[in-house]
Amino acid sequence: MPRLKEGVMNLVKVLKIGGSILTDKNRSSIARKKEIKRVAEEIAQSPEALILVHGAGSFGHVIAKKYGLPERFNPEGLRATHQSVIKLNELVVQALSEAGADPMPIHPFSCMVLKDGKIESFALEPIVEMVKRGLMPVLHGDVAMDITRGSGIVSGDQLVTHMAKTMTAKIVAIGTNVDGVIVQGKILSKISMKELPSIDIELGGGSGIDVTGGMRGKLLELLDLADAGIESVIFNACRKGQIIKALEGESVGTIVRRAT
Ligand code: IP8
């Protein structure tokens, strides 16, 4: 039996790797295999108490849009999108395991429900047990059942904030393909809810097709998390070495902090 890692739940780290890093966001279901391998190798160097979430990229957004999700309840669209994001998750899990980590896939569609687009409940026990036994849960943006709307989409960013809050994560790092929150050409070193109104117009939707709100959606999730007392960092995971730095709490990108 694997040894129970005492105290590990006090050290939980939640890392998200955006779908635009792992896939070509404009072309349906095209994985960037070299990038997946590089990202996996970096993550495998700092795997302790880590919960990994990855975006859906073109394995999710393009297909969801084609079927009119999340606005329409469409069983075929739900199934096709879910099966597609699972394929990306398999590639990530495989790369992590080849890099020497002990990843386990978690498909949110089967273990959570939304209410009005927000996470209402999530079966966290398996994730907690995995972390305690040294396994790395690997979750992804997914379609989900919604108790008021029928169905919806749960973004990787929602999963990150939900897990970071419920597990009081020590480190929350969001890897994107930009250097952080950029306003008037400059990377902000810090941002809080107070600054949001003045920069709102500049927050584009990100590149490619995105049904979950791009940088703006991401920031809103993280600002809420910051106001619940958990800081996070948005950084560029395309730059070699940044993932490890972010996981070790070094300064990379923009820190999302509580409004003072
Ligand atoms: O890429 C979106 O997750 P995200 C999930 O983390 C789907 O925003 C199915 C489009």
Side-chain angles (χ1 to χ4, degrees):
M1 190 170 41
R3 213 162 56 82
L4 198 62
K5 300 197 172 183
E6 298 300 343
V8 76
M9 294 315 292
N10 297 326
L11 305 170
V12 166
K13 300 175 189 180
V14 183
L15 170 69
K16 175 173 177 214
I17 298 294
S20 47
I21 300 164
L22 308 174
T23 74
D24 179 341
K25 248 186 140 176
N26 294 304
R27 290 157 66 213
S28 184
S29 307
I30 301 290
R32 293 198 162 122
K33 293 204 173 142
K34 269 197 193 149
E35 272 301 90
I36 295 178
K37 183 172 186 294
R38 188 218 17 116
V39 164
E41 284 168 355
E42 287 197 30
I43 293 171
Q45 290 177 52
S46 196
E48 293 78 27
L50 180 64
I51 299 172
L52 178 66
V53 179
H54 64 81
S58 64
F59 284 70
H61 293 268
V62 177
I63 302 164
K65 197 172 161 70
K66 176 176 148 197
Y67 286 99
L69 305 176
E71 288 79 17
R72 287 181 52 213
F73 180 80
N74 181 324
E76 192 191 339
L78 277 177
R79 199 162 45 247
T81 311
H82 181 60
Q83 284 170 336
S84 176
V85 289
I86 284 180
K87 284 190 193 134
L88 178 62
N89 183 255
E90 277 168 5
L91 294 176
V92 175
V93 167
Q94 182 64 27
L96 281 163
S97 122
E98 282 165 13
D102 281 320
M104 288 303 292
I106 308 263
H107 306 310
F109 182 75
S110 319
C111 50
M112 56 151 305
V113 287
L114 299 170
K115 184 176 182 189
D116 282 330
K118 295 201 179 321
I119 296 176
E120 173 72 1
S121 68
F122 196 119
L124 287 171
E125 290 94 332
I127 295 180
V128 171
E129 284 312 306
M130 285 178 211
V131 174
K132 284 186 182 165
R133 307 278 175 183
L135 298 175
M136 182 193 299
V138 184
L139 295 81
H140 53 88
D142 203 349
V143 287
M145 297 310 289
D146 187 310
I147 56 181
T148 46
R149 301 177 182 170
S151 67
I153 286 183
V154 60
S155 71
D157 298 312
Q158 285 175 289
L159 295 167
V160 166
T161 48
H162 183 80
M163 273 178 306
K165 236 185 246 178
T166 44
M167 299 193 193
T168 331
K170 285 289 159 295
I171 288 191
V172 182
I174 311 294
T176 66
N177 61 354
V178 290
D179 290 326
V181 180
I182 299 170
V183 174
Q184 290 175 357
K186 288 201 184 107
I187 306 160
L188 299 184
S189 60
K190 295 183 174 116
I191 183 169
S192 75
M193 197 63 106
K194 250 191 348 208
E195 283 94 54
L196 188 64
S198 58
I199 63 159
D200 212 9
I201 297 156
E202 289 205 35
L203 298 173
S207 58
I209 296 164
D210 197 311
V211 294
T212 52
M215 181 58 91
R216 190 171 193 283
K218 190 180 306 307
L219 204 49
L220 287 174
E221 285 293 331
L222 297 176
L223 287 167
D224 266 356
L225 183 65
D227 283 346
I230 299 177
E231 278 191 354
S232 58
V233 63
I234 300 177
F235 72 101
N236 193 338
C238 297
R239 295 193 192 280
K240 231 173 159 186
Q242 296 288 90
I243 294 176
I244 300 170
K245 282 191 180 163
L247 288 177
E248 308 212 323
E250 286 179 41
S251 93
V252 278
T254 304
I255 295 173
V256 185
R257 60 176 179 168
R258 191 202 286 256
T260 44

